[in-house]
Amino acid sequence: MWTYLSEWLQFGVRWVHVVTAIAWIGSSFYFIALDLGLRKPHGAPMVGVGGEAWQVHGGGFYHIQKYMVAPPHMPEDLTWFKWESYATWLSGAALLFLVYYLGADLYLIDPARADLPAWAAVLIGVAGLALGWVVYDRICKSPLGKNDSVLLGIVFVYVVAASFVFSQLFSGRGAMLHTGAMIATIMTANVAMLIIPNQKIVVADLKAGRSPDPRLGAAAKQRSLHNNYLTLPVIFLMLSNHYPLAFATEWNWAIAGLVLLIGAVVRHFFNTKHKTGQHLWWCWAVAGVLFALVITLSGAPGWRASPLSEASSTNESLDFPADPQLALARSPRFQEAEGIIQSRCSMCHARKPLWPGMGHAPKGVLLENGRDIVLNASLIERQAVRSHAMPPGNITGMEPSERLALARWLETGSGRYRP
């Protein structure tokens, strides 16, 4: 029963996480676009109003005005935008705990990288998230914080360095997920530790009849803009655990750095468009080049040899049927491949999984018999040959020689077989 309850608990928390993230990202993008698109008020200027915007949506017209510091008097009804951020982080933290910390042996720890006990891996993960915020906040509050370009450059270097450290201690999944979670923690802490407290001080000053300090609003705006530039990379990193070519490469930390740059140039395009009306098309060209580099790195050899390249390097040729699945099923290497899959993968990828706490095969992929294995050959290639995503953390101890044997079998169905 716990297996099914756990599965539904993870699903429910993930659902909440996605919904609240949509709400947070939507409001964040909207207010940045609104702020950048404000124009000088027409007609008689109102005291303290620095810009206004007219918008139309859902059959109605909206007239929005921004006070540069605060209005002369505090309105009775004031809407705060904070719970979208808090709920996103809390639900994400719950999901991190349920999937990666309770299932550390399966998803977080890779003995080939660092044979950590589960408690140590969890402590390292939590410490990494907290340290990320402390370092970022100290940099922002230092003299470097006065120059956004320099500040973001230093933060970029720190995030890439942290991602590299994560990649040496955790599985590929765990490393990319913790890099994204560290950035998300910075973003939510910006809201909870600076933006909202500053706004509360301004509100208290207004109620007390004092003039608010304009530096409070400027600092909050800076952190909000940082969040805007960090949003797209966080989404990529959170999705990456579903795609082994992103996380199960030795260059995953470099991919994380490139994605940070892609997110920055894409947001720069839209922010410039909202502010000036200019279309900086070069941003898309740069993003395209960087993404092509991401794709190249995902298949680039690291310090481990690629089983697929080794399998393709020999010269003997055999004649197999044109149909790839038929070729795989009739291959003289199939019996060996089937034995490897059944000994290393089938305990989870079964109609009734034998792995404790697992109620059904991950993603519904079955590898119990020869037919199952042939039908899922492309997934086997992607997850266990081109990358080392499976078995997760190599928990069943698949040997390099076994990955090479799978690669040689897969070559028989590719039309390029040279065993």
Side-chain angles (χ1 to χ4, degrees), residues 364-404:
V365 177
L366 299 173
L367 300 172
E368 279 189 295
N369 53 48
R371 182 177 182 277
D372 293 340
I373 292 169
V374 169
L375 289 176
N376 289 294
S378 61
L379 289 176
I380 294 169
E381 178 178 347
R382 193 157 60 242
Q383 301 272 3
V385 177
R386 289 191 179 274
S387 74
H388 291 192
M390 290 290 165
N394 201 21
I395 198 164
T396 58
M398 184 179 287
E399 299 289 340
S401 59
E402 293 175 318
R403 295 186 193 276
L404 179 58

Side-chain angles (χ1 to χ4, degrees), residues 107-119:
Y107 294 114
L108 184 58
I109 298 170
D110 184 349
R113 301 190 182 197
D115 195 5
L116 300 168
W119 63 266

Side-chain angles (χ1 to χ4, degrees), residues 38-41 46 48-52 65-68:
L38 292 172
R39 301 294 179 260
K40 292 183 178 180
M46 295 181 63
V49 175
E52 66 177 2
Q65 296 175 319
K66 178 184 178 180
Y67 289 84
M68 296 310 295

Side-chain angles (χ1 to χ4, degrees), residues 192-266:
M193 306 297 286
L194 190 127
I195 295 174
I196 294 301
N198 282 13
Q199 290 176 336
K200 287 184 176 181
I201 293 172
V202 170
V203 170
D205 285 342
L206 284 172
K207 290 182 176 179
R210 298 186 295 265
S211 296
D213 186 348
R215 291 177 298 180
L216 296 172
K221 182 179 178 180
Q222 181 192 49
R223 300 297 182 97
S224 181
L225 189 62
H226 291 177
N227 283 1
N228 179 260
Y229 276 93
L230 291 171
T231 299
L232 297 182
V234 166
I235 296 173
F236 178 96
L237 292 166
M238 294 308 183
L239 293 175
S240 68
N241 70 92
H242 298 287
Y243 298 92
L245 291 182
F247 72 79
T249 165
E250 293 172 71
W251 303 107
N252 52 19
W253 57 274
I255 289 174
L258 291 171
V259 168
L260 281 171
L261 298 177
I262 293 171
V265 295
V266 170

Side-chain angles (χ1 to χ4, degrees), residues 31-52:
F31 276 104
I32 290 293
L34 172 64
D35 189 70
L36 294 173
L38 292 172
R39 301 294 179 260
K40 292 183 178 180
H42 296 286
M46 295 181 63
V47 178
V49 175
E52 66 177 2

Side-chain angles (χ1 to χ4, degrees), residues 274-342:
H274 294 316
K275 186 175 183 178
T276 67
Q278 288 182 290
H279 294 80
L280 303 180
W281 298 115
W282 62 264
C283 291
W284 292 105
V286 171
V289 170
L290 292 174
F291 195 67
L293 188 53
V294 166
I295 295 172
T296 302
L297 279 178
S298 72
W303 43 89
R304 290 185 304 221
S306 168
L308 205 61
S309 63
E310 288 187 39
S312 302
S313 64
T314 51
N315 298 316
E316 180 187 347
S317 62
L318 293 177
D319 188 19
F320 283 96
D323 182 271
Q325 291 186 349
L326 190 59
L328 289 170
R330 292 182 178 179
S331 168
R333 298 191 180 278
F334 178 58
Q335 186 174 358
E336 181 185 16
E338 184 179 20
I340 293 169
I341 295 296
Q342 289 184 341

